[in-house]
Amino acid sequence: MKKPSIKDIADSLGVSKTLVSFVLNNRGDENGISKETQRKVLEKVAQLKYHPNFIARGLRLGRSHTIGLIVTDISNIFYARIAKRIEEVAAKHKYNLIYCSSGEDEFREIELIRMLRERQVDGMIISTTQKNGRIFSELKKEHYPFVLIDRNLPKLKANYCGVDNFSGAYTATDKLIKNGLSKIALLKISPDYLSTIKNREQGYRKAFKDNGLRINNKLIRTIDCNNIKQEVPVVLQELISSNDRIDAIFSVNNSITVACLEFMYENNIKIPDDMGLISFDDIDLFSFSIPKISAIAQPIEEIGEAAVTILLEEMDSKTNNNHQVTLPVKFIQRGSCGTIVEKQIKLSNN
Amino acid sequence: MKKPSIKDIADSLGVSKTLVSFVLNNRGDENGISKETQRKVLEKVAQLKYHPNFIARGLRLGRSHTIGLIVTDISNIFYARIAKRIEEVAAKHKYNLIYCSSGEDEFREIELIRMLRERQVDGMIISTTQKNGRIFSELKKEHYPFVLIDRNLPKLKANYCGVDNFSGAYTATDKLIKNGLSKIALLKISPDYLSTIKNREQGYRKAFKDNGLRINNKLIRTIDCNNIKQEVPVVLQELISSNDRIDAIFSVNNSITVACLEFMYENNIKIPDDMGLISFDDIDLFSFSIPKISAIAQPIEEIGEAAVTILLEEMDSKTNNNHQVTLPVKFIQRGSCGTIVEKQIKLSNN
DNA sequence: TACTTTTACACAATCGATTACGCTAAATTC
DNA sequence: GAATTTAGCGTAATCGATTGTGTAAAAGTA
């Protein structure tokens, strides 16, 4: 006993499929279907437990009412929170989400984009790992709606929604410097052509410059994004045993920071006395470690919300605008930015 | 210039759609299409940048190669990690995931199930909020493949994959008791008909019984799942100011525990000296708070993996088995289970 | 040569829903 | 009573891919 289709309803009622379709789409009145007939159709629908087939409708209408979401890792709370908000907003507009993790793999990402297009998703939201934006240029040429989040490809001039990475990094680094710390390691993540990472590095560099300090390039390190837990301890060990022992860390994301914390605990390095630490990207954990970790907080939900909103607009209007949304970040001062600040906090707490 | 279809290829080559379809599906040889013709087809495909339309294929074949995933909150790291693993395994089998958050709303969940079926997803994985399993009985009757995760509906006898909640809770509670704590609050979460919560409560009760202690029902509290941050402080305030002041907490999930920690920090209640604490569900944060928080760790990735594996099997075979997978949990002892344990740890660390 | 088999492909139905267009019978108008 | 309108609905094409059936031509066989 297979699932009933519109045809079954029509046949069993002796009317046409057209009529049934009209009634089902609430267009019975405007198409002059008598109330009585409409009632009968709906009755039959209930009786046969008919449910429309979205796939068939999608084929006919040329749209799937589905949005594709590609992030590097859905289990990173940063992306998980974005995903949640995107889903909420999309659901309000009757759109559903197919999500995929690229695992920070350029080629897999392209593969995923291809696959999502074959699935006829009406638009995509992507946190990209691409180095060059060729794939996106193609999409643009086809007027295919998409929005980049978090990571931008500035040359591309495509829809984008992210945060002011430069300022965030600048503020963080400046804060450390103002607290008397100057041997500040910058822990980046691979691949280092990502706009977010580059901008954060620029912020870091600018802060040094503005404070009249020279940068020691040995303190700028790149961690393999797929091997954080293993590499961070190695790198940190190096950084604290070398001649110019670091006195602070600016970490570009939450995963690296967590790995740093782990290292500190194990090696009994005290924050903030032995080591200053500020993280880009604020997570719950930073409020509960001792001391609490200062961080640059991103307006995560806003990113997701802005991204869907732009996408929905593009999908509707079929226009090809170029929205570039850069949201401000917030410096959350806790007790990890160096001894001076730490003492101030202690005082003001009493 | 719309996207090319199989028809365009066929027409421009003067062959039939059938032929093109065969070639595209690697069934050219078995259908006796000459090598030369096959070559020409593939050439044309590349030239026109043809991409198959998954929707159309889905309609014809009656399957969408898509799995629906419903969880209560994708931004909870527990579900995010499960989702990640599910996606990984599904991707290997060429399945994609549509995910939805029910927001712990029974009716929204039913709505989502209906929607996913209309979208012709081939199977579902669900962490359900349903009180009675009527909707799932219906699915079973139709031989529709689905797997419940985390939360079970025992009467239903449907595919399920989760952990041994009873033992986990028993171990945790027993540990607290053995450490001399006896006024142990149980912080549950609404809705309290969930199998996970019920089993955890049973474990808690059994531990009391086995230790010859009586349970004080006033110490068992339910927190509204959508209002954790607000309710936990209120409840805890009550529990510590009443006559029988609690000396420990067993919290049924990570969100509640985090809220508890927040309360402790703010009220300067020291763990473990002033208060023992064990959490069901281990998260990163618990390794970094001071002291570290003991927790019952679930094999999260295994849950996801087992769930998809079962689902894929069912979708293939169209059989209707009844897999009931209960995975063991692990008690992660850290320094929060009471003073005795804590002192032992301090000693053994030196 | 006559018949059979194989090769290589085409035709048309099908999946389920939508929609431009057109038809019929009844009601209304002149 | 003929012409026109309109309410009410049906026909058939369409979306893109798959597949059972059909068939002409080439090749093989006796």
Side-chain angles (χ1 to χ4, degrees):
Chain A
M1 197 167 56
K2 73 170 195 27
K3 280 191 286 184
S5 76
I6 238 177
K7 182 174 187 312
D8 299 316
I9 310 258
D11 288 354
S12 73
L13 238 42
V15 300
S16 75
K17 295 191 289 172
T18 310
L19 189 152
V20 177
S21 174
F22 281 148
V23 174
L24 289 178
N25 290 294
N26 270 323
R27 292 174 42 199
D29 290 339
E30 85 193 54
N31 285 89
I33 314 292
S34 72
K35 288 286 177 208
E36 177 59 14
T37 310
Q38 295 200 36
R39 198 190 51 71
K40 275 196 223 151
V41 169
L42 293 176
E43 198 175 85
K44 202 52 140 179
V45 161
Q47 181 196 328
L48 296 186
K49 293 192 183 173
Y50 163 84
H51 287 288
N53 182 323
F54 222 86
I55 299 257
R57 166 188 269 139
L59 176 61
R60 182 67 240 264
L61 297 183
R63 46 195 357 240
S64 61
H65 255 261
T66 308
I67 294 173
L69 171 65
I70 302 180
V71 296
T72 58
D73 176 7
I74 191 70
S75 76
N76 183 321
I77 186 70
F78 175 72
Y79 290 119
R81 281 175 60 191
I82 291 188
K84 181 186 185 186
R85 190 74 192 120
I86 289 179
E87 193 226 327
E88 282 172 2
V89 179
K92 267 189 210 136
H93 295 260
K94 304 273 179 205
Y95 275 84
N96 282 109
L97 237 54
I98 293 188
Y99 86 85
C100 315
S101 298
S102 68
E104 209 77 77
D105 176 335
E106 255 193 284
F107 304 105
R108 171 145 177 76
E109 182 184 334
I110 290 186
E111 178 59 23
L112 288 172
I113 292 176
R114 205 184 48 64
M115 183 276 294
L116 286 173
R117 293 223 56 193
E118 288 187 1
R119 281 180 173 266
Q120 314 298 116
V121 306
D122 300 331
M124 296 184 202
I125 296 177
I126 303 169
S127 172
T128 185
T129 307
Q130 298 300 307
K131 180 159 190 175
N132 70 62
R134 194 175 315 142
I135 179 82
F136 297 113
S137 305
E138 286 173 26
L139 291 183
K140 269 193 86 169
K141 218 178 291 167
E142 299 178 41
H143 294 274
Y144 184 83
F146 69 96
V147 179
L148 299 180
I149 52 171
D150 188 33
R151 302 156 173 194
N152 201 359
L153 291 166
K155 285 185 215 145
L156 193 68
K157 300 274 176 229
N159 296 311
Y160 164 74
C161 183
V163 302
D164 188 344
N165 292 289
F166 176 87
S167 299
Y170 183 94
T171 308
T173 313
D174 185 65
K175 183 66 70 174
L176 290 168
I177 296 174
K178 290 280 171 18
N179 278 331
L181 304 171
S182 60
K183 295 178 179 164
I184 307 169
L186 170 63
L187 295 190
K188 299 194 293 180
I189 199 159
S190 73
D192 61 3
Y193 54 75
L194 299 178
S195 70
T196 45
I197 306 301
K198 286 203 305 201
N199 292 337
R200 288 171 202 176
E201 178 168 355
Q202 282 160 15
Y204 168 91
R205 290 180 180 275
K206 187 72 169 16
F208 270 82
K209 203 170 161 198
D210 287 359
N211 280 282
L213 295 177
R214 281 195 47 202
I215 286 178
N216 180 348
N217 281 314
K218 281 188 210 148
L219 304 188
I220 299 181
R221 299 300 186 94
T222 300
I223 311 288
D224 180 352
C225 62
N226 290 311
N227 208 18
I228 295 178
K229 295 255 176 204
Q230 286 70 48
E231 287 193 11
V232 164
V234 177
V235 169
L236 285 183
Q237 190 61 52
E238 264 178 59
L239 288 171
I240 62 169
S241 13
S242 79
N243 285 335
D244 21 41
R245 191 186 199 279
I246 59 171
D247 52 20
I249 298 171
F250 172 49
S251 154
V252 298
N253 81 9
N254 66 45
S255 310
I256 296 194
T257 310
V258 170
C260 289
L261 285 176
E262 210 150 336
F263 179 84
M264 313 282 198
Y265 273 113
E266 275 165 20
N267 292 272
N268 207 29
I269 299 172
K270 297 295 179 212
I271 302 173
D273 296 309
D274 304 338
M275 184 79 74
L277 173 62
I278 299 184
S279 175
F280 209 102
D281 204 4
D282 190 30
I283 61 177
D284 263 4
L285 193 157
F286 299 160
S287 322
F288 291 104
S289 54
I290 301 223
K292 303 183 180 187
I293 305 301
S294 303
I296 306 295
Q298 306 188 49
I300 302 187
E301 276 70 24
E302 281 86 338
I303 297 176
E305 183 155 351
V308 219
T309 307
I310 294 171
L311 187 66
L312 287 169
E313 190 189 314
E314 293 253 312
M315 293 190 309
D316 273 5
S317 65
K318 282 286 171 197
T319 59
N320 222 337
N321 293 312
N322 174 10
H323 302 260
Q324 295 269 336
V325 178
T326 302
L327 300 167
V329 296
K330 218 161 116 187
F331 176 61
I332 311 282
Q333 176 148 330
R334 301 198 182 94
S336 70
C337 333
T339 41
I340 300 175
V341 171
E342 173 64 353
K343 274 168 198 161
Q344 284 172 346
I345 288 179
K346 274 191 186 147
L347 285 172
S348 67
N349 270 357
N350 293 345
Chain B
M1 199 167 57
K2 73 170 192 29
K3 280 192 284 184
S5 77
I6 239 176
K7 182 175 188 313
D8 299 314
I9 311 255
D11 289 352
S12 73
L13 239 40
V15 300
S16 75
K17 297 190 289 173
T18 310
L19 190 153
V20 178
S21 174
F22 280 150
V23 174
L24 289 177
N25 290 296
N26 271 324
R27 291 173 42 198
D29 290 340
E30 86 192 52
N31 285 90
I33 314 293
S34 72
K35 288 286 176 208
E36 177 60 15
T37 311
Q38 294 201 35
R39 198 190 50 71
K40 275 196 226 155
V41 169
L42 293 176
E43 199 175 84
K44 200 50 134 183
V45 161
Q47 181 196 325
L48 296 185
K49 293 192 181 171
Y50 163 83
H51 287 288
N53 182 322
F54 221 87
I55 298 257
R57 165 188 270 137
L59 176 60
R60 183 65 242 262
L61 297 183
R63 49 195 355 238
S64 61
H65 255 262
T66 309
I67 294 173
L69 171 66
I70 302 179
V71 297
T72 57
D73 176 7
I74 191 70
S75 77
N76 184 322
I77 187 68
F78 175 72
Y79 291 120
R81 282 175 61 190
I82 291 188
K84 182 185 184 185
R85 189 75 193 117
I86 290 179
E87 193 225 329
E88 281 172 3
V89 179
K92 270 191 207 133
H93 295 261
K94 304 276 180 202
Y95 275 85
N96 282 108
L97 235 54
I98 293 187
Y99 85 83
C100 316
S101 299
S102 67
E104 208 79 75
D105 176 334
E106 253 192 288
F107 304 105
R108 171 144 178 76
E109 182 184 335
I110 290 185
E111 179 60 21
L112 288 173
I113 292 176
R114 205 183 48 66
M115 184 276 292
L116 286 173
R117 294 223 58 192
E118 289 187 2
R119 280 181 173 266
Q120 314 297 121
V121 306
D122 300 332
M124 295 183 202
I125 297 178
I126 302 169
S127 173
T128 185
T129 306
Q130 299 300 307
K131 180 157 190 176
N132 71 61
R134 194 176 316 142
I135 180 82
F136 297 113
S137 305
E138 285 174 24
L139 290 184
K140 269 193 86 170
K141 219 177 292 167
E142 299 179 40
H143 293 273
Y144 184 82
F146 68 96
V147 179
L148 299 180
I149 53 172
D150 188 34
R151 302 159 171 189
N152 200 0
L153 291 166
K155 283 184 218 148
L156 194 66
K157 299 276 175 224
N159 296 310
Y160 164 75
C161 182
V163 302
D164 188 344
N165 292 290
F166 176 86
S167 299
Y170 183 93
T171 309
T173 312
D174 184 63
K175 183 66 72 174
L176 290 169
I177 295 175
K178 290 278 170 16
N179 279 329
L181 304 172
S182 59
K183 294 179 181 166
I184 307 170
L186 170 63
L187 295 190
K188 301 193 293 179
I189 198 159
S190 73
D192 61 2
Y193 54 74
L194 300 177
S195 70
T196 45
I197 305 302
K198 286 204 304 203
N199 292 337
R200 289 171 201 176
E201 177 167 354
Q202 280 160 15
Y204 167 91
R205 289 181 180 275
K206 186 75 168 18
F208 268 81
K209 202 170 163 196
D210 287 359
N211 281 281
L213 295 176
R214 280 196 49 201
I215 287 178
N216 179 348
N217 281 314
K218 281 187 209 149
L219 303 188
I220 300 181
R221 298 301 185 96
T222 300
I223 311 288
D224 180 353
C225 61
N226 291 310
N227 208 20
I228 295 179
K229 297 253 175 206
Q230 286 70 47
E231 286 194 10
V232 165
V234 177
V235 169
L236 286 183
Q237 190 61 54
E238 262 179 59
L239 288 171
I240 62 169
S241 12
S242 79
N243 285 335
D244 22 39
R245 191 185 199 279
I246 59 171
D247 52 21
I249 298 171
F250 171 50
S251 154
V252 297
N253 81 7
N254 66 45
S255 309
I256 296 194
T257 310
V258 169
C260 287
L261 286 176
E262 211 151 334
F263 179 83
M264 312 285 196
Y265 274 112
E266 275 165 19
N267 292 272
N268 209 28
I269 298 173
K270 297 294 177 210
I271 302 173
D273 297 308
D274 304 339
M275 184 79 73
L277 173 60
I278 299 184
S279 176
F280 209 102
D281 203 5
D282 190 30
I283 60 177
D284 264 4
L285 194 156
F286 298 158
S287 320
F288 291 103
S289 54
I290 300 222
K292 303 183 178 186
I293 304 302
S294 304
I296 307 295
Q298 306 188 49
I300 302 186
E301 275 71 23
E302 280 86 338
I303 297 176
E305 184 154 349
V308 218
T309 308
I310 293 172
L311 187 65
L312 287 169
E313 191 189 313
E314 293 253 312
M315 292 190 308
D316 273 6
S317 67
K318 281 285 169 197
T319 59
N320 223 335
N321 292 312
N322 175 10
H323 302 260
Q324 294 269 336
V325 177
T326 302
L327 300 167
V329 296
K330 218 160 113 187
F331 177 60
I332 311 282
Q333 176 148 331
R334 302 199 182 93
S336 69
C337 329
T339 41
I340 300 175
V341 171
E342 171 66 352
K343 274 167 196 159
Q344 283 172 345
I345 288 179
K346 271 188 186 149
L347 286 172
S348 67
N349 269 356
N350 293 343

